[in-house]
Amino acid sequence: MIRTLGTVVVFTLSMVVGAVAQAQSWVENTHYRTLDNPVRTASDEGVEVAEVFWYGCPHCYNFKPLIEAWTDQAPDYVNVVKLPAALGQSWEPHAYAFYALEAMGELDKVHDALFTALAGERRPLNSPEALADFVSGYGVDAEEFLNNYRSFGVRARVQQAQAKIRGARITGTPTMLVNGKYVVSASMAGGHEAVLSVVDYLVERERAAAE
């Protein structure tokens, strides 16, 4: 019994030492970038983790199950938000679609399907009408969708998101923005799994700083 306990203790300590060593290996301007001028977060409470994505991005599509699993296990003090990027004109309709569906409370119905259609199948859903026809197949009212798509409120949300993305000098997807201060991408961290390890490190750093 003592031998077993000792093994467990040694194993636990080795895990802690390994985690600390890994955290110490994340280097600023190598594995993540610190913003000179932080961008505003949606709330002053907790630590915000924003996923900057595009529905047509195959890398975002591959990253999707990883960030979803991470989100499911994130502590209560972590506020996970999605920022649809419009880094090119052809991306804009998809950002508008995201916020239109969110305003309708219908995002969960179509979010996965939009990723599959745009990133997986490369379907040409590049106009409000094409997107309205697509979402109608998932029980979303097409006319209401178009009304929201063209509304002032949705346009404002899209503009706010793009201002935040530009302020963070983000030029590709997927990219993680931690508490409006730190930018992490797969090319910097060394892969999608490493991105989330760096995010974990930065989240804990922000939480500790707030205590």
Side-chain angles (χ1 to χ4, degrees):
M1 178 66 70
I2 295 175
R3 183 176 301 168
T4 302
L5 179 62
T7 301
V8 171
V9 170
V10 170
F11 177 67
T12 302
L13 287 174
S14 68
M15 288 177 64
V16 171
V17 171
V20 171
Q22 185 183 46
Q24 292 175 339
S25 71
W26 303 129
V27 179
E28 184 179 8
N29 295 324
T30 298
H31 301 106
Y32 65 93
R33 173 167 55 84
T34 303
L35 298 180
D36 294 331
N37 299 301
V39 296
R40 181 175 295 181
T41 57
S43 171
D44 294 332
E45 299 294 328
V47 179
E48 180 181 284
V49 174
E51 176 197 1
V52 182
F53 77 99
W54 172 44
Y55 279 123
C57 168
H59 300 295
C60 299
Y61 189 51
N62 294 332
F63 185 56
K64 183 174 177 290
L66 299 178
I67 184 60
E68 287 177 344
W70 184 89
T71 299
D72 288 341
Q73 298 176 9
D76 292 340
Y77 55 83
V78 173
N79 306 316
V80 181
V81 300
K82 296 182 184 299
L83 288 178
L87 300 179
Q89 189 173 2
S90 63
W91 296 24
E92 288 183 6
H94 310 136
Y96 276 86
F98 175 89
Y99 285 116
L101 291 164
E102 187 178 70
M104 297 169 68
E106 301 278 34
L107 184 60
D108 289 344
K109 283 186 180 179
V110 200
H111 184 69
D112 291 350
L114 280 170
F115 254 123
T116 299
L118 287 162
E121 301 170 358
R122 298 186 179 276
R123 293 178 60 177
L125 304 176
N126 299 318
S127 69
E129 293 75 18
L131 287 160
D133 183 63
F134 178 80
V135 301
S136 68
Y138 293 85
V140 177
D141 184 272
E143 184 176 355
E144 185 182 354
F145 170 82
L146 287 172
N147 288 337
N148 277 277
Y149 184 104
R150 294 165 175 153
S151 69
F152 172 81
V154 165
R155 183 167 66 253
R157 292 294 306 281
V158 171
Q159 291 173 347
Q160 289 166 3
Q162 302 326 302
K164 190 168 183 174
I165 291 167
R166 286 193 301 271
R169 293 183 286 115
I170 292 171
T171 58
T173 56
T175 299
M176 304 298 289
L177 176 59
V178 180
N179 225 26
K181 298 179 181 179
Y182 309 103
V183 175
V184 190
S185 66
S187 61
M188 296 177 72
H192 289 152
E193 292 83 358
V195 164
L196 295 174
S197 295
V198 177
V199 169
D200 280 334
Y201 162 67
L202 294 171
V203 164
E204 289 309 306
R205 177 173 169 174
E206 285 295 287
R207 184 184 68 86
E211 290 181 347

